[in-house]
Amino acid sequence: MSDTRSVLPYGSWPSPIEADDAARGDALLEWVGFLGDDVCWTEVLPEEDGRSGLMRRTAEGVEEVLPSGWDVRTRVIEYGGRPWLALSGRAADGLVFTHGPDQRLHRWRPGSDPVPLSPPGAWPGELRYADFAVHGDEIWCLRETVADDTARTARRHLVAIPLDGGAAEDPSRVRELAATHHFMTGPRIEPGGDRVAWLGWDHPDMPWDTTRLMVAAVLPDGTLGTPAVRMGGEGEAVTQADWATDGSGTLYAVSDPDGWWNVHAVDRDGGTRSLCPRPEEFGEALWRIGLRWCLPLLDGTLAVIHGVGERRLGILGADGALTDFDDPATEWHFAATDGRRIAAVASSPGRRRTVVLADPADGSVRTVRAPSSEGRSLPSDAPDPDADGAAPDARTPAPYAYATTPYRRTYRGDDGEPVHVHVYPPHHPEFTGPGDELPPYLVLAHGGPTSRSHLVLNQEISYFTSRGIGVVDVQYGGSTGYGRAYRERLRHRWGLTDVQDCATAARGLIAEGLADPDRIAIRGGSAGGWTAVASIAAEPGLYRAAAVYYPVLDPASWREETHDFESRYLDGLIGPWPDTADRYAHQSPLREADRIRTPFVLLQGLDDTVCPPAQAERLLQRIDPDTVPYRCLTFEGEGHGFRRSATVAASLRAELRLYADALGFTPAAASSCSPS
């Protein structure tokens, strides 16, 4: 069959996916759970200043659970955590949640307004709550107390808060249960209420380095006995723990004593055994308090999320047999269970983020909240456009027709180490590039750096690929999803391994004849912003442009400027301070900033406590604007990771303008293409 597409230079293809569409079209769906029979989730609402609404699906469509205006979000460890919990299996009992602006714990009952359960802090946001459990007439949870808005100093306790609201005016009614470590997760209470478990770790460790699984008896007066370590320790990170539902006293722990996060059973006497030992991950880095990947079900099986570089949903039987759901989703997040069914956010290369309900009884996976069309929920009777392989029709949102088909690739660096990447080729259903022209490519460095990105349908990436600009998303050494050894390739080598791996990916594409060697750019945010700046300093002949979002740049000062959770992160990424001060100077992207000649755009939120604006300012102080063309856009009210659609759209437009100038193409006019 001949290709009847029109020929236009790469980068100049007209696309219906505008910056505003990319900013609002891919809903941020998180923190799934059950309220009675209803599946609920939090959803970021970009048009309402990034407020997180608690949503559910009804016969009439998607609606908010709470009265309008409530923001279901916690700022615990700045990256947040599980912010709400249903009080029982009955919807009539309502739920508890943390409200974003004041961070107080509230209770809501159907038909009434939420009322506070926790006392106010000395200032809004001083006291923060997350990861809840019900014990009798109390809510047990993690409480974080921060000294000021920078969150550079913080203390954490497991606390008990009465459900009758008495502590809202009388702080003495909040009971402190435990404070075993500087950082902790919320409590997991054994069925029957006899014991409670939690995870803890201390500086300089991060939760993917070393954590300990703690267990304590719940005494008759509601206090806790002496906590004991049941798993974890030096060089081992327990990333989740949950009790069996059968009353056996078994505690399931996701830990990595063998280098992979696998599921273990911890017996009442402290003995442990691996239930399904495999060289793959059954958990993730604990960046947010309360995440779960292993869910005990009422029939004694476990719902597990597992894989290497991707995540599938499966059922792990008592005999160790693992059976995956027959569903094309390759990423599952924010999983929750009512004991029988599993609700989660699922996505894949052919499916944007979708809230789904999986039933092990029949193997079905049903859509609860389909992806939004132009920022709005699809009506309840709309066809399901999120099914992989479904042909777009007149009601299918344009992103599906214009999305590329990504694939995985592994290149080898000069040292022979593997570098895993996701390749998103340019794609447009109506246009192709000239036969004698290779496309420009963007090298994408994800944040973290102890994190990973997902090979899924991504509206922001489609913004570029539908215009004829390829994207290679690099899972550089240090990324999660490939075992501890791959994570620790970055240990003490941040600014080196990540930079080398991004260059390996770019040169791999060039060697395969897929990318124009003279039109390579790099983009990244947070830790990815560090990698982007370090890359244009280290590889001035490779990269022709860079987009830098809210970066870390000066590691020595960042230690003192960032929030408590990450204030010792650099001990593992670079080395202990001040013993390795020379490394801090050598590996900083600022070291050779005066060598930068690559045009760039820098995008920074002014309320960022993770990577404060001072980091970006130090770069600009070292750049001669007469030598290096750059733009710096700052945004009031934005923190670490932009939440407002106007901010995201302005940033993408600035990026496209930069790439057009630096990579030599003329973007199509915004109105030159519309969805068919």
Side-chain angles (χ1 to χ4, degrees):
M1 182 181 295
S2 63
D3 190 342
T4 59
R5 293 179 296 173
S6 301
V7 176
L8 280 179
Y10 290 106
S12 65
W13 301 346
S15 171
I17 306 174
E18 297 299 338
D20 291 329
D21 303 316
R24 68 173 180 259
D26 203 5
L28 184 54
L29 313 172
E30 302 181 319
W31 302 118
V32 179
F34 288 86
L35 179 63
D37 289 331
D38 290 338
V39 176
C40 302
W41 64 93
T42 62
E43 182 167 334
V44 174
L45 306 172
E47 302 298 338
E48 297 186 38
D49 290 333
R51 176 175 71 86
S52 286
L54 183 63
M55 319 300 285
R56 64 181 166 192
R57 181 68 174 265
T58 69
E60 289 72 37
V62 173
E63 67 175 21
E64 284 203 54
V65 175
L66 302 175
S68 180
W70 290 91
D71 186 0
V72 183
R73 177 161 54 101
T74 175
R75 289 183 59 191
V76 161
I77 69 167
E78 292 306 297
Y79 290 105
R82 184 164 288 278
W84 72 278
L85 176 75
L87 290 175
S88 73
R90 300 188 314 124
D93 291 332
L95 55 89
V96 295
F97 69 96
T98 296
H99 179 48
D102 62 15
Q103 291 294 290
R104 294 176 73 181
L105 180 63
H106 290 71
R107 179 176 184 174
W108 171 79
R109 294 181 178 91
S112 64
D113 289 328
V115 296
L117 296 183
S118 66
W123 51 274
E126 179 201 20
L127 303 174
R128 306 167 176 186
Y129 303 89
D131 207 10
F132 310 107
V134 178
H135 186 269
D137 57 1
E138 293 178 320
I139 291 295
W140 289 17
C141 63
L142 174 68
R143 182 188 67 193
E144 181 179 71
T145 306
V146 297
D148 55 42
D149 249 340
T150 67
R152 293 173 194 160
T153 303
R155 296 176 290 114
R156 295 165 190 88
H157 295 82
L158 300 185
V159 298
I161 301 174
L163 276 165
D164 64 10
E169 302 296 335
D170 182 4
S172 67
R173 293 198 60 194
V174 178
R175 297 192 302 115
E176 293 183 355
L177 299 170
T180 55
H181 296 79
H182 189 59
F183 298 96
M184 296 182 292
T185 65
R188 297 288 179 267
I189 302 172
E190 183 181 16
D194 292 337
R195 292 183 296 169
V196 62
W198 64 93
L199 307 181
W201 68 97
D202 292 306
H203 282 319
D205 289 317
M206 298 299 285
W208 43 86
D209 297 324
T210 293
T211 63
R212 288 171 172 82
L213 171 58
M214 310 301 297
V215 176
V218 180
L219 303 179
D221 63 357
T223 61
L224 301 187
T226 302
V229 178
R230 285 290 178 257
M231 198 172 185
E234 192 63 35
E236 179 182 346
V238 186
T239 197
Q240 186 207 328
D242 265 292
W243 298 96
T245 59
D246 59 4
S248 64
T250 298
L251 185 57
Y252 296 114
V254 180
S255 192
D256 65 346
D258 299 318
W260 294 87
W261 275 313
N262 282 184
V263 181
H264 298 75
V266 183
D267 299 329
R268 186 176 287 273
D269 62 4
T272 63
R273 66 186 188 281
S274 182
L275 299 183
C276 186
R278 293 187 178 196
E280 58 181 275
E281 304 281 41
F282 287 73
E284 297 273 7
L286 193 60
W287 278 101
R288 304 176 79 179
I289 303 298
L291 288 171
R292 303 170 73 196
W293 304 274
C294 172
L295 307 175
L297 304 180
L298 291 174
D299 64 1
T301 62
L302 299 170
V304 293
I305 296 171
H306 69 102
V308 178
E310 66 175 17
R311 294 293 180 270
R312 302 278 182 175
L313 177 65
I315 300 297
L316 180 59
D319 59 356
L322 179 59
T323 304
D324 286 343
F325 277 79
D326 184 16
D327 185 86
T330 55
E331 295 290 348
W332 294 76
H333 318 274
F334 303 103
T337 184
D338 62 359
R340 298 178 294 107
R341 303 168 299 166
I342 304 101
V345 177
S347 54
S348 76
R351 178 195 294 179
R352 293 158 64 194
R353 285 189 291 260
T354 307
V355 178
V356 300
L357 183 64
D359 190 342
D362 58 12
S364 64
V365 178
R366 181 173 64 86
T367 296
V368 176
R369 197 284 195 202
S372 55
S373 174
E374 298 181 352
R376 297 182 297 274
S377 300
L378 294 175
S380 59
D381 61 345
D384 184 3
D386 62 316
D388 293 67
D393 63 19
R395 302 182 66 184
T396 299
Y400 289 87
Y402 290 83
T404 187
T405 300
Y407 59 89
R408 302 181 192 277
R409 185 77 166 85
T410 299
Y411 294 108
R412 293 279 173 178
D414 292 339
D415 56 4
E417 292 283 355
V419 179
H420 306 295
V421 304
H422 305 157
V423 182
Y424 293 80
H427 168 75
H428 194 295
E430 300 169 18
F431 296 96
T432 188
D436 59 351
E437 180 184 345
L438 291 173
Y441 256 84
L442 310 181
V443 175
L444 174 56
H446 65 71
T450 312
S451 184
R452 69 184 180 96
S453 45
H454 307 132
L455 187 74
V456 299
L457 186 59
N458 181 299
Q459 185 84 315
E460 194 169 292
I461 288 178
S462 294
Y463 175 75
F464 295 110
T465 57
S466 63
R467 286 170 166 76
I469 306 166
V471 176
V472 57
D473 191 356
V474 186
Q475 312 304 298
Y476 49 81
S479 299
T480 57
Y482 304 93
R484 180 179 281 263
Y486 195 79
R487 292 202 308 273
E488 295 199 342
R489 283 188 57 221
L490 199 64
R491 188 165 187 81
H492 296 165
R493 289 186 52 82
W494 193 33
L496 303 174
T497 295
D498 49 324
V499 170
Q500 293 166 4
D501 286 0
C502 285
T504 293
R507 292 191 171 102
L509 288 173
I510 293 168
E512 290 186 309
L514 300 176
D516 186 336
D518 296 322
R519 294 197 291 173
I520 303 293
I522 189 167
R523 70 190 300 257
S526 189
W530 157 292
T531 303
V533 175
S535 293
I536 60 176
E539 297 273 4
L542 180 60
Y543 301 107
R544 303 305 171 93
V548 182
Y549 284 75
Y550 34 82
V552 184
L553 294 172
D554 181 6
S557 67
W558 184 73
R559 293 179 59 260
E560 304 298 330
E561 294 170 350
T562 194
H563 62 133
D564 180 54
F565 175 64
E566 290 185 276
S567 62
R568 298 291 300 276
Y569 193 8
L570 299 184
D571 284 46
L573 293 176
I574 299 177
W577 179 270
D579 297 347
T580 58
D582 57 331
R583 284 191 214 154
Y584 282 70
H586 176 71
Q587 292 173 219
S588 167
L590 298 182
R591 181 175 71 94
E592 296 183 334
D594 58 351
R595 293 183 53 204
I596 292 175
R597 297 294 182 267
T598 303
F600 66 88
V601 60
L602 197 155
L603 308 122
Q604 178 70 50
L606 295 179
D607 294 347
D608 194 337
T609 60
V610 176
C611 297
Q615 291 284 307
E617 292 165 5
R618 291 188 181 96
L619 172 65
L620 300 183
Q621 290 166 2
R622 290 166 168 80
I623 299 295
D624 181 356
D626 294 329
T627 304
V628 183
Y630 72 82
R631 294 181 69 199
C632 178
L633 303 182
T634 58
F635 301 96
E636 294 277 359
E638 289 284 13
H640 196 64
F642 298 155
R643 298 174 66 89
R644 297 173 179 172
S645 58
T647 303
V648 176
S651 300
L652 290 173
R653 283 191 287 266
E655 276 197 73
L656 185 60
R657 174 179 165 183
L658 167 71
Y659 301 144
D661 292 342
L663 305 183
F665 60 81
T666 302
S671 60
S672 63
C673 186
S674 60
S676 58

